[in-house]
Amino acid sequence: MGTLPQQVFTKVPQVTLVFWLVKILATTLGETAGDALSMSLNLGYLISSIIFIAMFATAVFVQIRSTQYSSMIYWTTIIATTTAGTTMADFADRSLGIGYTGGSLVLIVLLCISFSTWYRVAGSLSNQSVNNVKAECFYWVTILLSQTLGTALGDWTVDSAGLGYDASALIFGSLLLVLLAAYLWSSISRTLLFWLSFILTRPLGAVVGDFLDKPISHGGLEFSRFSASAALLFGMVLCLMLFKQQTATTHH
């Protein structure tokens, strides 16, 4: 007699509407908090990047060592990737002079390398397959690269392409709606749609974050970066408290 498939639990959440809402809040927070450290506190992009990378490494270590899914640990790690992504992209684009276009192209190549290496080693890029240490390492490196790329893409659309905050937010929001339509009414790979959506939420957050804290003379609302960051963090915590997330599962 056959046996029932064994359910294997991961330490990442199920992908639901709440997941995407919290993700957008986290990416916007990453922009305001990253700018708060590098600009408002005048620590600069390099020092801020070192601080956030250290936070990311610590958070990933705790995440990997944990034995079950914890929304607090998971989303703390996500915030660490998006803040580090903000300052690293700004350091490469502005301090090193690579520029938004060059920085975006470099990060696209690095992200493709990460995806291809992960797939060759693990055989899957699915969110549901992140159930061992090796997969977790690839998962978090890929997320860090995607968050950094998103910052560069957001800055490119606003500054290099000259589209401004409103038009840029509309473009990225519209692309996410296209991906939602593809999810609902097509048979396109759910894994592909997940990663495309994951990547695109970052430039959306970057554009919205800049819109919140940039000077009015530059088209922003000139909110305090610290106040905006606190409000976004509160929104994340409230969502996670009101809507409990379940861990993603797969069958072996």
Side-chain angles (χ1 to χ4, degrees):
M1 180 180 297
T3 59
L4 291 175
Q6 181 183 3
Q7 205 173 42
V8 179
F9 291 88
T10 69
K11 289 181 286 182
V12 299
Q14 288 182 347
V15 180
T16 63
L17 179 60
V18 175
F19 174 90
W20 292 116
L21 175 58
V22 177
K23 170 63 164 58
I24 292 172
L25 289 171
T27 56
T28 309
L29 169 61
E31 191 70 20
T32 57
D35 288 348
L37 210 66
S38 62
M39 298 179 186
S40 297
L41 294 182
N42 294 317
L43 294 183
Y45 300 127
L46 179 59
I47 298 300
S48 298
S49 294
I50 292 172
I51 292 172
F52 287 131
I53 290 172
M55 291 173 57
F56 166 69
T58 302
V60 169
F61 176 79
V62 174
Q63 168 74 14
I64 291 176
R65 288 294 300 268
S66 64
T67 57
Q68 60 186 2
Y69 171 68
S70 165
S71 60
M72 184 181 71
I73 297 174
Y74 178 85
W75 287 107
T76 295
T77 312
I78 289 290
I79 291 172
T81 65
T82 193
T83 48
T86 295
T87 55
M88 286 195 300
D90 287 343
F91 176 72
D93 297 341
R94 300 170 187 176
S95 298
L96 296 182
I98 295 176
Y100 300 130
T101 302
S104 297
L105 291 174
V106 169
L107 287 162
I108 288 172
V109 171
L110 291 175
L111 189 58
C112 289
I113 292 173
S114 180
F115 275 128
S116 60
T117 305
W118 181 5
Y119 187 78
R120 284 199 302 270
V121 172
S124 174
L125 302 177
S126 171
N127 192 49
Q128 296 181 333
S129 69
V130 187
N131 52 25
N132 59 74
V133 172
K134 186 180 295 185
E136 282 190 276
C137 290
F138 279 113
Y139 179 81
W140 288 112
V141 168
T142 301
I143 284 180
L144 179 62
L145 289 172
S146 76
Q147 306 280 43
T148 310
L149 169 62
T151 301
L153 284 176
D155 288 341
W156 181 85
T157 56
V158 171
D159 296 324
S160 298
L163 297 179
Y165 301 120
D166 294 343
S168 298
L170 181 61
I171 288 172
F172 292 120
S174 298
L175 289 173
L176 287 169
L177 289 177
V178 170
L179 293 176
L180 175 61
Y183 175 82
L184 294 174
W185 296 302
S186 80
S187 58
I188 297 175
S189 166
R190 276 21 188 177
T191 299
L192 175 62
L193 291 176
F194 169 80
W195 283 110
L196 288 175
S197 300
F198 199 97
I199 292 168
L200 284 175
T201 53
R202 181 61 186 101
L204 175 62
V207 170
V208 173
D210 280 340
F211 174 68
L212 291 175
D213 64 32
K214 288 298 186 285
I216 295 175
S217 59
H218 289 75
L221 296 178
E222 205 166 355
F223 290 160
S224 161
R225 294 184 177 108
F226 297 101
S227 298
S229 299
L232 290 163
L233 181 59
F234 176 79
M236 286 184 63
V237 172
L238 185 62
C239 286
L240 294 172
M241 288 177 62
L242 292 177
F243 306 100
K244 186 175 180 180
Q245 291 185 301
Q246 301 297 322
T247 181
T249 61
T250 187
H251 294 282
H252 280 186

